Amino acid sequence: MEVEKLVKLHWGRQRFEFTVDQTKTCSGLDLKILISALLNIIPENQMVLGFPDGPLSDDHDLTSCDIPHELLVVGASEAAPTSGVKLRFVEDMTSEEANRNVVLIARDKAEVTPVGLHNLGNTCYMNSALQMIRPLFLANHEVFEGISSDFGLKFFNLFEFMQNEASSSYHPSEFVNSFRARHPQFAERGERGGFLQQDAQEFLQLLLADVPEMRQLFDFGSEDLFLQCPVTRDTSHLSEILPHESVSKLPSYLIVHLMRFSFRPDINETVKITKKITIPRELDALPIMVDGELKQQIMNEREENENIKTGKYEFCGIVAHKGRSANSGHYLGYIRKAPKSRTWWYFDDHNVTEMPYNDIKKIFGTPDMPVAYMCLFRHKSQ
């Protein structure tokens, strides 16, 4: 263990560096006191993230563990604003001023570019899948706070860092190494020593098994948490291949797996079907529900009110694959910026840019272009 360690602190949009003497910093409270001197946040108001076993507690024993090189701090400073701008409360504004300021705040928040993830050796399959499920974290924070396993806490910490607006990108090395240790097939290397490409859907399937607390968000009443949709050369619309009588519960999210890869015995190779498949902006789960009380209840409600949202899902995320083979190519992630927005975020590992919906439609299926491989739908009640 290093005697002195340089630690990077992420706090909001700001980043700080300071040196910690690990022979004198014996407890979590000791470290929080150092952070307090730097950020002016009293220890009891700090949440310090980045340790493998969860948020730092005051009695955390630091004598037998190495302090991480990067930490995320959540908490409000005791210092007053020093910008010279007079602080005004909403209660003191006219209704016109309050509405204008709320709009400006919302616009500023929406324009923050999400954090990208660095590729750590053919980990685009992982990066794209994690970015696709990114919206779950803020909308279902109470689910993530219930995570207790060692691996689950590493996953929780990763998503905390992914929400850090101070960075444009993040190296998810701790999470990647932990996942590869749990699933050695994802640590396999090729003849030249590099990590082999893996399947994004298989990764996400294992991740949901490793963090069972998340299962409730996707559970539609089957052991499988994916709507498996075999693609053929005759397929033209997603509705044609959704599995019938498969949904008996309405979860917060549905993941559609477009099974574009199939094995051809004549050439002894797995090939990819790139045919265009139209993906609707709204998925109605009613036609694929199991006959029963819930389905009948929804049908009755819709007869009374045709605008009811129950059972209707909004298209909000994609993992796309570029390349001809399942064992090579590149994975990319996409998420809708906000409900009903026509602008999406496009994730190419650590590079993050905006993309209009008209360009999103190009990845529904075009030769030599990325094509949609997994799709995320969010229940409209979310």
Side-chain angles (χ1 to χ4, degrees):
M1 185 171 69
E2 304 171 55
V3 175
E4 291 192 344
K5 170 171 278 193
L6 181 67
V7 177
K8 294 181 180 179
L9 279 184
H10 301 275
W11 179 52
R13 295 176 182 270
Q14 302 179 63
R15 180 180 298 175
F16 303 86
E17 291 185 350
F18 72 113
T19 302
V20 178
D21 185 340
Q22 297 195 103
T23 63
K24 297 179 180 178
T25 309
C26 302
S27 68
L29 181 59
D30 291 338
L31 182 57
K32 287 184 177 181
I33 290 171
L34 292 177
I35 294 172
S36 176
L38 182 66
L39 304 182
N40 199 31
I41 306 174
I42 58 175
E44 52 262 42
N45 287 350
Q46 295 177 26
M47 179 184 287
V48 182
L49 303 166
F51 286 84
D53 49 355
L56 181 68
S57 62
D58 289 351
D59 58 356
H60 193 117
D61 183 8
L62 298 179
T63 59
S64 58
C65 72
D66 209 15
I67 297 174
H69 284 288
E70 290 191 67
L71 295 172
L72 176 65
V73 180
V74 179
S77 172
E78 294 291 297
T82 58
S83 62
V85 178
K86 183 179 179 181
L87 182 65
R88 297 183 65 200
F89 295 96
V90 173
E91 293 85 349
D92 300 326
M93 298 181 185
T94 66
S95 59
E96 182 180 352
E97 288 176 322
N99 289 335
R100 183 169 64 249
N101 278 280
V102 168
V103 170
L104 288 173
I105 290 169
R107 184 181 303 153
D108 178 66
K109 191 69 177 175
E111 291 304 316
V112 175
T113 302
V115 174
L117 296 172
H118 284 271
N119 194 314
L120 304 180
N122 269 338
T123 56
C124 58
Y125 67 89
M126 181 182 294
N127 293 345
S128 59
L130 290 170
Q131 297 291 9
M132 184 184 75
I133 64 171
R134 165 194 285 271
L136 278 63
F137 187 73
L138 292 178
N140 303 276
H141 206 268
E142 71 284 354
V143 173
F144 287 81
E145 287 180 337
I147 292 172
S148 58
S149 67
D150 290 343
F151 176 78
L153 290 170
K154 288 183 174 65
F155 174 70
F156 178 87
N157 286 339
L158 168 64
F159 263 74
E160 286 284 2
F161 275 110
M162 287 171 66
Q163 308 307 317
N164 178 21
E165 298 172 2
S167 299
S168 61
S169 60
Y170 178 67
H171 289 79
S173 52
E174 183 180 26
F175 176 79
V176 171
N177 292 337
S178 180
F179 185 82
R180 284 173 172 164
R182 292 175 68 86
H183 305 285
Q185 68 271 33
F186 283 79
E188 292 178 357
R189 296 175 181 266
E191 295 178 357
R192 297 184 178 180
F195 288 103
L196 296 176
Q197 179 63 284
Q198 303 289 342
D199 185 273
Q201 188 270 337
E202 184 182 353
F203 159 74
L204 188 53
Q205 191 172 42
L206 290 170
L207 176 64
L208 295 178
D210 287 343
V211 189
E213 292 86 352
M214 288 200 296
R215 181 180 179 87
Q216 60 182 288
L217 299 175
F218 303 99
D219 183 8
F220 56 86
S222 168
E223 284 298 314
D224 194 350
L225 299 182
F226 297 78
L227 289 171
Q228 305 287 0
C229 302
V231 176
T232 71
R233 301 192 184 279
D234 298 323
T235 306
S236 61
H237 195 282
L238 177 61
S239 60
E240 300 168 12
I241 54 176
L242 286 170
H244 292 286
E245 296 190 4
S246 57
V247 175
S248 59
K249 297 165 62 176
L250 295 177
S252 299
Y253 300 88
L254 290 172
I255 306 176
V256 170
H257 176 207
L258 294 169
M259 302 169 68
R260 293 183 176 272
F261 296 107
S262 60
F263 182 73
R264 282 186 54 182
D266 57 325
I267 59 174
N268 195 32
E269 189 176 331
T270 299
V271 297
K272 180 172 140 185
I273 300 173
T274 60
K275 189 178 186 299
K276 180 180 178 180
I277 300 172
T278 300
I279 301 169
R281 298 187 70 178
E282 179 183 281
L283 188 156
D284 187 356
L286 188 62
I288 60 171
M289 289 187 68
V290 175
D291 289 335
E293 185 178 334
L294 178 59
K295 183 175 183 178
Q296 188 61 50
Q297 177 186 333
I298 296 171
M299 292 171 65
N300 294 341
E301 289 176 356
R302 290 188 183 181
E303 285 184 5
E304 296 177 8
N305 180 3
E306 61 181 14
N307 296 317
I308 195 168
K309 296 178 180 179
T310 307
K312 295 181 179 180
Y313 290 78
E314 179 191 31
F315 183 29
C316 64
I318 309 171
V319 168
H321 179 267
K322 183 179 182 180
R324 293 287 182 178
S325 169
N327 300 320
S328 61
H330 186 55
Y331 285 98
L332 304 156
Y334 308 79
I335 58 171
R336 189 186 294 274
K337 287 183 72 172
K340 299 182 179 180
S341 173
R342 292 192 65 85
T343 306
W344 290 52
W345 290 116
Y346 162 47
F347 300 89
D348 183 354
D349 289 327
H350 66 282
N351 296 310
V352 184
T353 54
E354 292 182 351
M355 179 174 284
Y357 185 68
N358 283 341
D359 287 344
I360 290 292
K361 290 191 288 187
K362 294 177 182 178
I363 64 175
F364 290 175
T366 306
D368 301 319
M369 290 281 290
V371 291
Y373 180 53
M374 284 192 289
C375 300
L376 181 68
F377 290 85
R378 173 178 49 228
H379 197 277
K380 286 195 167 185
S381 64
Q382 276 290 108

